[in-house]
Each structure stands twice: as structure tokens, then as C-alpha cells.
């Protein structure tokens, strides 16, 4: 079946450094790729998303890149801050639909002051 | 606008019992999806409802079922509970195919003893 692989599972960086999380997907029909941030004990929250007709999208310190040929996409966080510490999930739509997502297993990001 | 509301927040049940969880989506959202979140498996898709019809279903046994009402509120039912059903159950609503990502509720923490 379809799956999304996410790496690394844990990531520790110093405050001010950049963090990169990578995901690969298997369904060639996937066309929507969101990223969610989940702080401890809280609900996942959408932080950025990208659609298949776009190669890169940026929102302040966060950017996402997509390579449809290679079926991988990445989250880039620059100038990390302690409040960026959380678990980040990537996801891909299944079968081209935006109503159903399959998630990676998450990356626990720790930003040390 | 009000977010996605899930009730109850916490639930303790014994093996063999059944449970019903509720999710009220954001006003105007017609799609409700359910996910099971566990430390080992991450976020796993259960099913998606759109306009009172189940549109997609994940790889869960038939003990897991759901429905959606005309006001888009959704319920999820788990019968004959097993210890392994202990998890955080998240619902997410979206406009479905209109370019919006999921908005998750805070979840229901189910513990089966």
C-alpha cells in the first residue's frame, strides 16, 4: 500500500541553526503535501503545505521543497528557536485527493538554547 | 471561528466494552476524517466521511465504525475493545478538495484496561 517515510526520527540542533526533515512518498498520484507540528499534549497543527504544481514554498522561517520526479519533499526551518521544539509530521494525499492523508511517523525536533 | 471539537477528552474503558467518540467540525466543513495516534505507529487513517457518506477507509478491523450526521458532526464507535485500542483518537475537518488542509481537534485519549 501507499506509505510515507520520514527521516530523521529525532533531530537535535542548537538555537539559531537550521533544521531539515525529509520525506519520501510512494503514490505517484499524490498532489498535496502538508506539514504538521505537534507540541507535547496538543493537537497537530498545519504549519505549511505545498501542492504538486509548485516546487518550493516559503513562510518566514519555514520552507518546503518538493521534487515530484524523485517523490520526496523536505521541510526547512531556519534560525531555529526553542519554541520550534516539537514533533513534526509530513503527509501526502492519497490518490490525488485532498480529503485523505497518509502521514510519516514524525520527527522529534529539539532546539537547545 | 470555532475549531474542531472532540468529546470526551479522556475515556477509560475495560476490555470488551464499546465506546463512542464525537467530533464536531468547523462550521462549513463537510469532510471529517478520523486518525488513531499511538507512539509506535504514529497517525493511522481510520476513515473519512463527506456529506454523511464514508468516502475512504483505512486498514482497521470492522470493530471500528463511524457515521456522519446531516450537520457534519461525526461519531466513531469501537466495539469489543482490546488493550491495543488504547490511543489518542484525532478527528480532522476540511472543506474537502478546496485547497484547505486538515484542522485537527484536540483528540480523545482512550485507555482500555
Amino acid at each position: 500500500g501507499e506509505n510515507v517515510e520520514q527521516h530523521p526520527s529525532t533531530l537535535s540542533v542548537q538555537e539559531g541553526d537550521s533544521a531539515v526533515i525529509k520525506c519520501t512518498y510512494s503514490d505517484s498520484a499524490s498532489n498535496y503535501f502538508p506539514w504538521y507540528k505537534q507540541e507535547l499534549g496538543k493537537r497537530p497543527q498545519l504549519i505549511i503545505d505545498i501542492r504538486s504544481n509548485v516546487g518550493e514554498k516559503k513562510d518566514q522561517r519555514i520552507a518546503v521543497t518538493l521534487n515530484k520526479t524523485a517523490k520526496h519533499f523536505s521541510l526547512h526551518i531556519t534560525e531555529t528557536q526553542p519554541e520550534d521544539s516539537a514533533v513534526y509530521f509530513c503527509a501526502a494525499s492519497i490518490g490525488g485527493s485532498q480529503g485523505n492523508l497518509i502521514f510519516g511517523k514524525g520527527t522529534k525536533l529539539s532546539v537547545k538554547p | 471561528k470555532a475549531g474542531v471539537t472532540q468529546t470526551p477528552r479522556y475515556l477509560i474503558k475495560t476490555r470488551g466494552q464499546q465506546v463512542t467518540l464525537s467530533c464536531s467540525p468547523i462550521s462549513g466543513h463537510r469532510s471529517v476524517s478520523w486518525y488513531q495516534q499511538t507512539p509506535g505507529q504514529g497517525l493511522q487513517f481510520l476513515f473519512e466521511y463527506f456529506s454523511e457518506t464514508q468516502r475512504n477507509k483505512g486498514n482497521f478491523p470492522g470493530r471500528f465504525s463511524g457515521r456522519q450526521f446531516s450537520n457534519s458532526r461525526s461519531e466513531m464507535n469501537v466495539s469489543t475493545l482490546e488493550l491495543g485500542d488504547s490511543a489518542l483518537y484525532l478527528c480532522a475537518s476540511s472543506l474537502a478538495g478546496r485547497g484547505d488542509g486538515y484542522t485537527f481537534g484536540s483528540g480523545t485519549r482512550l485507555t482500555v484496561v
Side-chain angles (χ1 to χ4, degrees):
Chain A
E2 299 90 353
N3 74 306
V4 173
E5 293 192 2
Q6 182 172 348
H7 299 280
S9 56
T10 59
L11 180 59
S12 181
V13 299
Q14 287 294 133
E15 182 177 0
D17 287 350
S18 295
V20 180
I21 302 170
K22 299 181 179 181
C23 291
T24 59
Y25 61 98
S26 60
D27 186 356
S28 57
S30 295
N31 62 4
Y32 176 62
F33 308 90
W35 286 86
Y36 285 84
K37 175 184 180 182
Q38 187 175 30
E39 296 176 72
L40 190 63
K42 296 190 176 181
R43 64 188 178 94
Q45 290 193 295
L46 178 68
I47 56 171
I48 195 168
D49 56 14
I50 191 167
R51 291 171 176 80
S52 57
N53 58 346
V54 176
E56 183 174 359
K57 183 177 179 181
K58 190 173 181 180
D59 182 5
Q60 299 182 333
R61 298 185 296 108
I62 294 173
V64 58
T65 59
L66 171 64
N67 183 326
K68 282 223 74 179
T69 303
K71 291 195 228 173
H72 67 70
F73 55 115
S74 301
L75 177 72
H76 304 252
I77 306 174
T78 58
E79 301 171 18
T80 53
Q81 301 166 2
E83 50 265 39
D84 293 330
S85 297
V87 178
Y88 291 81
F89 293 94
C90 63
S93 60
I94 297 177
S97 163
Q98 293 186 5
N100 186 13
L101 299 174
I102 185 166
F103 285 80
K105 293 217 184 302
T107 295
K108 183 176 181 181
L109 173 64
S110 299
V111 180
K112 299 181 178 179
Chain B
K1 57 183 177 182
V4 180
T5 303
Q6 288 189 249
T7 57
R9 289 296 308 277
Y10 302 92
L11 210 48
I12 300 176
K13 291 285 187 179
T14 56
R15 279 185 300 173
Q17 285 188 311
Q18 73 167 22
V19 67
T20 299
L21 313 180
S22 178
C23 173
S24 293
I26 291 173
S27 178
H29 283 193
R30 295 162 66 190
S31 169
V32 174
S33 295
W34 289 88
Y35 284 82
Q36 181 194 67
Q37 186 175 29
T38 58
Q41 297 299 318
L43 284 150
Q44 291 190 290
F45 174 69
L46 282 154
F47 29 64
E48 180 206 359
Y49 286 87
F50 181 82
S51 293
E52 302 179 64
T53 300
Q54 187 180 87
R55 189 160 71 174
N56 289 297
K57 190 177 189 305
N59 296 323
F60 277 81
R63 299 185 297 108
F64 292 81
S65 63
R67 59 177 175 170
Q68 187 179 35
F69 302 95
S70 58
N71 61 358
S72 293
R73 188 178 72 85
S74 177
E75 287 183 346
M76 187 189 107
N77 184 275
V78 188
S79 62
T80 319
L81 285 165
E82 301 177 359
L83 296 179
D85 297 333
S86 295
L88 179 67
Y89 290 88
L90 292 161
C91 80
S93 76
S94 72
L95 286 172
R98 294 186 185 181
D100 291 78
Y102 280 168
T103 298
F104 280 92
S106 296
T108 293
R109 173 74 62 185
L110 172 64
T111 302
V112 182
V113 297

